[in-house]
Amino acid sequence: MRRYGVTVQDVDMILVATSTPEYAFPSTASRVQSKFKIVSTGALDLNAACAGFVYALQLADGLLCSGAYRKVLVIGAETLSKITDYTDRTTCVLFGDGAGAILLERDEESPGVLASISGTFGEGGIHLYKTALSEQMDGTDLKSGCLVQNGREIYKWAIRNIPEGVRTLLSKANMNAEEVEWFVPHSANLRMIEGINERGPFTMDRTLTSVEYRGNTSAASIPLALQLAVDEGRLQAGDHVLLYGFGGGMTYAGSIVRWTI
């Protein structure tokens, strides 16, 4: 609101992507509505782990394109410090807390979201999870309470699948990589992003990240990377940006957007 001089009091939908809500209910989106005294709005949380922000963006775009909504607030927010096992040195050094928000408004003449894809490899859920009501998955006993990650398997899955997913998204938009100014993958870790770029169409100098400053913030990592690029003057109005979230599930979601402010 301070950055762009906009108001949120007239939004008609709030979408919050988070894996770490304070409550099972009321939703985090409902708490946002209460905080900002928004009189009439829908409010919905969604959980797609590290792909959650892009999923929320895609849902917002669908609501706007349907004509049923005019102005949607999309938030990615996590407090992973609450679910981190600090005795597990393979994971506790990776994760951070953070939040980012974007505001989408309907523009029939110049759509901001140019193409999207999404998908799931549910068999990989065993490699990244946090238990809730059950402590078994597909007959396998789980560790309870905190986030559990098999980093080696996540890395192998991402390296195999994300570069091809990026190419599929570019093809769906009838674009090539040279027409996209910035690639913004989920900021899992720099080694993984470098591995994806070695096999994909983008280079690190055209890749926006937040992990080096914020850690792995799951659903918040992509909006935080966008914020850093805006602050540094790198992300400009008219730029085409390819967002690609991936993580627990195993879920993935990618969108190409036109940055408009």
Side-chain angles (χ1 to χ4, degrees):
M1 292 168 66
R2 288 193 300 267
R3 184 188 299 273
Y4 296 114
V6 297
T7 180
V8 298
Q9 274 65 39
D10 58 341
V11 302
D12 43 17
M13 179 60 75
I14 302 167
L15 302 175
V16 177
T18 184
S19 304
T20 53
E22 290 290 330
Y23 317 102
F25 50 86
S27 67
T28 305
S30 293
R31 304 310 301 151
V32 173
Q33 180 274 328
S34 175
K35 172 69 175 179
F36 290 102
K37 305 295 189 293
I38 303 172
V39 175
S40 180
T41 184
L44 175 67
D45 285 4
L46 61 92
N47 179 0
C50 306
F53 179 79
V54 182
Y55 267 103
L57 175 70
Q58 293 178 1
L59 177 56
D61 180 56
L63 294 174
L64 294 173
C65 289
S66 75
Y69 295 85
R70 300 172 297 103
K71 194 171 181 179
V72 181
L73 183 63
V74 177
I75 302 170
E78 302 285 10
T79 48
L80 295 174
S81 59
K82 296 189 304 183
I83 63 170
T84 296
D85 179 359
Y86 289 97
T87 68
D88 180 1
R89 297 295 295 174
T90 66
T91 61
C92 71
V93 297
L94 302 175
F95 297 104
D97 299 341
I102 61 172
L103 184 66
L104 283 81
E105 297 184 72
R106 190 176 354 155
D107 185 342
E108 296 177 358
E109 295 183 359
S110 181
V113 180
L114 305 182
S116 293
I117 63 169
S118 61
T120 304
F121 176 65
E123 296 88 331
I126 193 69
H127 299 309
L128 180 55
Y129 66 83
K130 179 195 175 295
T131 58
L133 299 180
S134 176
E135 294 185 4
Q136 280 202 340
M137 185 186 301
D138 299 331
T140 301
D141 291 334
L142 306 177
K143 298 178 183 178
S144 65
C146 292
L147 184 156
V148 177
Q149 175 176 269
N150 183 334
R152 180 171 295 181
E153 290 299 321
I154 300 294
Y155 180 87
K156 285 160 47 178
W157 176 83
I159 294 302
R160 285 196 306 265
N161 292 281
I162 305 308
E164 185 59 33
V166 168
R167 293 188 180 93
T168 299
L169 179 55
L170 286 167
S171 176
K172 188 172 183 179
N174 293 315
M175 299 176 70
N176 57 55
E178 289 68 34
E179 296 175 279
V180 175
E181 279 77 15
W182 299 107
F183 174 44
V184 193
H186 162 53
S187 272
N189 64 66
L190 287 178
R191 181 185 173 200
M192 183 181 293
I193 294 170
E194 288 168 353
I196 290 169
N197 281 348
E198 286 172 2
R199 295 160 177 79
F202 292 101
T203 55
M204 287 300 293
D205 62 343
R206 293 170 56 205
T207 302
L208 303 179
T209 60
S210 59
V211 64
E212 60 269 48
Y213 303 105
R214 310 285 189 249
N216 180 339
T217 54
S218 190
S221 78
I222 287 177
L224 289 177
L226 294 171
Q227 172 256 318
L228 287 166
V230 169
D231 287 349
E232 295 166 358
R234 292 195 287 167
L235 183 55
Q236 301 289 327
D239 283 355
H240 293 95
V241 186
L242 194 153
L243 314 176
Y244 209 101
F246 54 91
M250 303 292 295
T251 60
Y252 63 88
S255 291
I256 298 176
V257 303
R258 182 185 296 110
W259 196 255
T260 56
I261 292 183

